[in-house]
Amino acid sequence: MKNLFTTITVVFSFLIFSGCSGNSQKEPLTVDNILSNAEEYVEQVVTVKGLATHVCSKSGMKLFLQGETKDQTIRVESSGSLGKFDPEAVNHNVVVKGKLVEERIDEAYCQNLEEEIRNNTIVSHGEGGAGCETEQIAEGVAVGSSEMDRVNDFRARIAERKASEGKDYLSFYHIAADSYNIVK
């Protein structure tokens, strides 16, 4: 009985002193890690490191991190309490901590977007009717596409995914940031 008590005490002490929290993340994930295994991290707090390529000039509340290639880009959204991202982050590595969020784009989303386009109520972050170039890269949409081109592209990709995977939506991911720091 004394040996059992000693064993339990040793194991319990090890767990406390090793900082075991079940799913703790020691090193930041890369943008490529997150995007290639996104379903695994949805709704979890993650720490991600990547090259900041853009801070939204309109609101300052969006930051884009790039992985190994330009095509591996993820949007990071600031919370109201975090405030605006520092534009000085661009062209530097940034470490972001926050929850990975999945946004599903389906036919209802496309119809709503079309209505906003028709009613001229869509909030555009690009110029001349095109969306933000960095946002388009993150969504896998051709750079310079109009908002209507974006809707058509989404529909074509939804149809492809439904045929190949049986899912009638696209999944886009972003990080709802709690904190960030610029690594200079």
Side-chain angles (χ1 to χ4, degrees), residues 38 56 62 66 99:
C56 179
K62 292 181 186 177
Q66 178 182 303
K99 187 189 320 184

Side-chain angles (χ1 to χ4, degrees), residues 31 48-55 63-67 76 85-96 180-184:
V31 172
V48 181
K49 182 178 179 180
L51 177 67
T53 59
H54 180 73
V55 172
L63 168 81
F64 292 84
L65 295 180
Q66 178 182 303
V76 180
F85 290 107
D86 184 349
E88 293 294 315
V90 175
N91 295 322
H92 292 286
N93 281 314
V94 174
V95 176
V96 174
Y180 79 103
N181 62 350
I182 302 168
V183 181
K184 291 191 178 182

Side-chain angles (χ1 to χ4, degrees), residues 144-169:
S145 297
S146 70
E147 291 296 338
M148 203 54 221
D149 290 340
R150 183 172 166 237
V151 171
N152 292 331
D153 180 74
F154 287 163
R155 283 194 170 119
R157 290 167 51 198
I158 290 168
E160 288 174 19
R161 188 170 192 205
K162 183 162 173 93
S164 67
E165 299 175 40
K167 296 180 180 179
D168 59 352
Y169 60 88

Side-chain angles (χ1 to χ4, degrees), residues 70-91:
K70 191 175 180 179
D71 294 336
Q72 294 288 78
T73 299
I74 191 164
R75 183 178 78 240
V76 180
E77 294 185 0
S78 176
S79 64
S81 61
L82 183 58
K84 293 181 178 186
F85 290 107
D86 184 349
E88 293 294 315
V90 175
N91 295 322

Side-chain angles (χ1 to χ4, degrees), residues 9-69:
T9 303
V10 169
V11 170
F12 184 70
S13 297
F14 175 77
L15 290 175
I16 288 174
F17 292 117
S18 68
C20 181
S21 62
N23 196 11
S24 64
Q25 182 184 324
K26 302 278 187 232
E27 292 291 318
L29 296 165
T30 66
V31 172
D32 298 58
N33 293 140
I34 283 289
L35 293 176
S36 64
N37 300 301
E39 301 83 19
E40 179 181 328
Y41 297 106
V42 170
E43 296 301 315
Q44 292 186 34
V45 174
V46 295
T47 303
V48 181
K49 182 178 179 180
L51 177 67
T53 59
H54 180 73
V55 172
C56 179
S57 60
K58 204 169 206 175
S59 70
M61 302 295 277
K62 292 181 186 177
L63 168 81
F64 292 84
L65 295 180
Q66 178 182 303
E68 288 295 317
T69 67

